[in-house]
Amino acid sequence: MLKSIYGTKDILPKDIGKWNHVETIVKNIFTAFNYKEIRTPLFEETALFSRSIGEETDIVSKEMYTFFDRSETSVTLRPEMTASVVRAFIEHSLATQFSLNKLFYIAPMFRQERPQAGRLRQFHQFGAEVLGSASPVLDAEIIILAFTILKSLGLKDITVKINSLGIASSRKTYLEVLKKYLEPHLNELSEESKKRFEKNILRIFDSKSENDILIMHDAPKLIDYLDEASKDEFETVQNILQKEHIPFVIDSSLVRGLDYYSKTTFEIVSGKVGAQSALCGGGRYDGLIELLGGAPNYGVGFAAGIERIILALQNEETALPEITPLDVYVVLLNKDLLNEYYLFANTLRKKHFKVEIDYLSRSVKAQMREANKLQAKYVALFGGEEFSENKIVIKNMTTSSQQVVPLEKAGEEILLSVGG
RNA sequence: GUGAGUAUAGCUCAGUUGGUUAGAGCACCAGGUUGUGGCCCUGGGGGUCGUGGGUUCAAACCCCAUUACUCACCCCA
């Protein structure tokens, strides 16, 4: 049997209601904040991602779907959206049309990781990128947006974690300090962390080894080494979040795995999705536009994983829409009138009722059962003896009462009864 | 890439020390009289027990291999 590719999943009709629900809320909230939707190609030149995300990162070094197309160009299925949005921003000179661009997207991403709960190889993110301003107000707005969306979806068990990485030069100073602190402990660290000491020392903060955590507990904190500007801006962000009643914790160990982040970073985690608890993450990336060949400019954004959010909602037992009920199910009583039956149902559809009919030539009883299963509010029984007088039976499925009405008035009658 | 676990109908699972035509619930289909649902009742379709070897008179059950999936590490949304 042919199956979907490992780590990919079909979203079946029974689940599509959840997705539409999420997407509707996402769009509504972004629209309220005047963010404009952007769509970019699923794949890009490989260099775009390796340059922006960072050659040494896990994403680039071992998780990308990279291949050569027929013209020997190295292309990659996008593992995240920021690089693509920034590329489009530069390519189309969006900065010259609006000095500030507030953009959002809802789109599939691809990373060849080992699948597990809340982690797929093709997964979906919604997110935002704000290009053109250094204002910490926007750092706060990004967090507010993400939090508001998750709350509006009904999530309760979520925590906002924030941190500031400062600018490159202050971070460099700090890294030296951290290195000095860790050197004497090097032998006590876990094997993983020893590797990180060389490769990406900040990641040692993420270690789950108890002993590592103990050692890192007393380590110097990045926050204490921030440059003045970053410190002030971080204060502003916190201040706004407090005034907006967004609960947050400062997590000095919050280090993002993509190279382009600077200053504010944040993450929102759920206690309900297993090991992959980060529903959403983001931060500021002021150097990225220049790095990708644009005029120096500012950027801040976030991305959220839709599969994880739906998982969290399910595990929190938040009610999600399943099936939307039918307005009218039309039952055919006389199989000789199939054409008239079909055309009649379409007249109702043209009046914007949600209508279903029987295509399988089933018994009246079976049709009624189907109507019930589809949660039809009304059943129209077409083609019985009333048909000779151009009439039809309309049955209200909740009250079980029914009446005979002229065919051409069926729509009005239903509308009347619905109370519309 | 590493580790652990699981593989029996569309779905959730039973299947007892290996022993005749492999089961249940849900779902699906038909019917319970002539033109009517939700409950209930009756009947039905559907599985080469992941795949390939092996042991045995006999294997869903034991052994080996293989594949797929799940969870976790890692990393991240």
Side-chain angles (χ1 to χ4, degrees), chain A residues 32-313:
Chain A
F33 281 76
N34 195 35
Y35 283 62
K36 310 283 191 204
E37 185 172 0
I38 183 166
R39 302 187 190 187
T40 65
L42 282 180
F43 59 112
E44 300 270 358
E45 258 182 70
T46 301
L48 173 65
F49 300 117
S50 49
R51 246 195 278 165
S52 61
I53 298 168
E55 209 71 67
E56 293 303 315
T57 60
D58 280 26
I59 293 179
V60 171
S61 63
K62 48 192 191 196
E63 296 172 4
M64 294 206 301
Y65 279 101
T66 297
F67 56 96
F68 289 97
D69 69 9
R70 288 173 194 278
S71 59
E72 302 296 306
T73 306
S74 177
V75 298
T76 294
L77 264 36
R78 63 177 172 221
E80 59 110 40
M81 196 65 173
T82 304
S84 298
V85 170
V86 168
R87 194 223 79 232
F89 169 83
I90 298 167
E91 183 172 337
H92 302 288
S93 304
L94 295 187
T96 65
Q97 301 173 42
F98 295 97
S99 36
L100 183 68
N101 282 272
K102 303 202 292 181
L103 307 167
F104 81 93
Y105 57 83
I106 304 175
M109 307 295 158
F110 306 84
R111 291 182 202 173
Q112 190 165 356
E113 296 182 84
R114 217 34 174 260
Q116 71 184 75
R119 187 166 78 187
L120 291 174
R121 290 184 166 186
Q122 174 175 339
F123 61 103
H124 298 77
Q125 292 185 331
F126 65 81
E129 312 293 348
V130 180
L131 304 170
S133 168
S135 169
V137 169
L138 283 168
D139 299 39
E141 176 163 305
I142 283 294
I143 298 170
I144 290 165
L145 265 169
F147 184 79
T148 306
I149 290 169
L150 297 184
K151 274 289 168 186
S152 302
L153 285 167
L155 287 171
K156 293 181 194 75
D157 184 9
I158 54 175
T159 310
V160 181
K161 300 198 265 185
I162 64 170
N163 191 23
S164 177
L165 301 179
I167 56 172
S169 62
S170 69
R171 197 155 64 241
K172 205 173 163 196
T173 318
Y174 167 73
L175 288 179
E176 290 305 317
V177 175
L178 182 61
K179 210 165 198 167
K180 278 217 179 81
Y181 167 81
L182 280 175
E183 254 157 11
H185 299 286
L186 202 49
N187 282 331
E188 308 161 42
L189 286 174
S190 67
E191 287 308 309
E192 265 313 310
S193 291
K194 277 179 197 156
K195 278 185 218 154
R196 290 177 177 138
F197 183 83
E198 300 301 332
K199 239 177 68 185
N200 191 346
I201 193 163
L202 278 176
R203 293 228 72 93
I204 300 180
F205 279 110
D206 284 345
S207 175
K208 279 163 192 157
S209 142
E210 269 184 45
N211 196 43
D212 287 5
I213 293 172
L214 217 64
I215 294 170
M216 297 314 280
H217 183 77
D218 297 323
K221 304 236 179 306
L222 176 54
I223 285 208
D224 301 325
Y225 289 81
L226 289 184
D227 55 287
E228 283 308 311
S230 293
K231 206 178 278 178
D232 285 352
E233 285 164 20
F234 194 44
E235 291 286 329
T236 304
V237 172
Q238 291 177 54
N239 201 272
I240 293 174
L241 292 181
Q242 273 155 11
K243 299 260 160 66
E244 272 286 339
H245 305 293
I246 310 267
F248 64 87
V249 294
I250 295 173
D251 182 348
S252 56
S253 71
L254 179 64
V255 180
R256 312 251 72 231
L258 288 72
D259 282 359
Y260 52 62
Y261 284 111
S262 62
K263 296 189 176 174
T264 309
T265 60
F266 81 103
E267 207 167 83
I268 301 180
V269 299
S270 163
K272 295 285 195 294
V273 291
Q276 306 300 318
S277 61
L279 299 185
C280 137
R284 184 162 276 283
Y285 47 85
D286 285 341
L288 181 59
I289 297 170
E290 189 176 5
L291 179 75
L292 289 177
N297 210 331
Y298 307 99
V300 58
F302 79 95
I306 299 179
E307 281 86 354
R308 286 181 189 179
I309 288 169
I310 290 176
L311 238 175
L313 287 169

